[in-house]
Amino acid sequence: MVSRAVRETGRIGLLILALLATGGCMNDSGKNDPLPVRSKEKAEQQVRELIGSLAAQYSLKTDEKTVDKEFRDCFGKNHERAGDGRFDLTYSVRSRLPGEEHGKALRAMREKLEASGYKVSGYREEASDALMDAEGGVDGFSVSVESYRPATELVFSVTTPCFLPPGVKQEQVSAPVPDVAPVAVPTTGAGGASDRFPDSPFG
């Protein structure tokens, strides 16, 4: 017969495991933290200003005919989706520059980004094969500048964080139901022997 103490220990163990699986104390891992508010027009303006300031570090001008932009619905890291219109923006544009100057151009741009609070996570300064990835700054943008093929252009790419449109109430996203498997709790048989593995000679 299983003692009351053992049964209570088993229930407590299951409760602790369930709390850990759901983050404990109803923690939603920040998925409902307030989102920054931007209109799509303002978000695009900020991206264009950032790219323009980087290009200006090497006296470059971007070719507006090469602009590629997309506003997308935001999804959470666990594929949560809200219906409040939250969005992010990916934007890219190219600038003509001889390949042998690509490394030198990125060097100047890197100084600009780091002075603005960005952290450079990837960097290669080779002629005609230059690359820089950075993120951060005041608005948390992700920025990439790299050689374009053929290596007569640089391509600037920016991805924004998730923004909430002005005048919209932020929807609270529910956490997914945890998938918690039952946990077997060892019990004690007659005489104090474990009956967890009844057919095993080792108990």
Side-chain angles (χ1 to χ4, degrees):
M1 181 176 179
V2 180
S3 70
R4 179 178 179 183
V6 171
R7 289 198 301 269
E8 290 298 324
T9 301
R11 281 196 284 267
I12 293 171
L14 288 172
L15 177 60
I16 292 172
L17 286 172
L19 285 172
L20 290 173
T22 57
C25 298
M26 304 304 290
N27 180 8
D28 66 4
S29 301
K31 65 170 58 69
N32 287 311
D33 289 350
L35 294 172
V37 176
R38 297 283 191 287
S39 66
K40 290 184 176 179
E41 294 77 14
K42 180 63 175 177
E44 181 176 347
Q45 178 187 342
Q46 286 185 281
V47 168
R48 291 170 64 91
E49 289 175 352
L50 173 58
I51 292 175
S53 70
L54 292 177
Q57 300 305 302
Y58 206 71
S59 302
L60 299 178
K61 292 184 178 180
T62 56
D63 182 357
E64 297 304 302
K65 295 180 181 179
T66 65
V67 169
D68 184 10
K69 65 179 179 180
E70 181 182 8
F71 291 98
R72 303 172 301 181
D73 294 337
C74 281
F75 290 88
K77 65 180 181 179
N78 293 317
H79 307 291
E80 303 94 350
R81 183 172 186 173
D84 52 17
R86 61 185 69 181
F87 69 91
D88 59 25
L89 167 63
T90 58
Y91 186 103
S92 68
V93 65
R94 302 197 300 270
S95 180
R96 294 191 64 82
L97 182 69
E100 60 268 21
E101 296 186 51
H102 287 188
K104 292 185 290 184
L106 259 63
R107 192 182 312 164
M109 296 176 196
R110 177 174 186 165
E111 292 178 1
K112 170 70 174 179
L113 284 173
E114 290 181 332
S116 300
Y118 282 81
K119 182 178 180 180
V120 174
S121 57
Y123 189 77
R124 183 172 62 244
E125 203 178 285
E126 299 174 16
S128 300
D129 189 21
L131 167 70
M132 176 174 61
D133 293 321
E135 59 184 330
V138 175
D139 296 302
F141 290 173
S142 296
V143 183
S144 176
V145 186
E146 60 184 311
S147 299
Y148 192 74
R149 300 296 184 189
T152 56
E153 296 178 309
L154 282 175
V155 57
F156 298 82
S157 303
V158 176
T159 301
T160 72
C162 194
F163 288 133
L164 188 71
V168 174
K169 182 178 179 180
Q170 182 173 334
E171 181 179 330
Q172 298 297 292
V173 182
S174 300
V177 177
D179 183 15
V180 180
V183 178
V185 179
T187 59
T188 303
S194 170
D195 59 8
R196 180 174 49 166
F197 305 110
D199 296 326
S200 171
F202 301 101

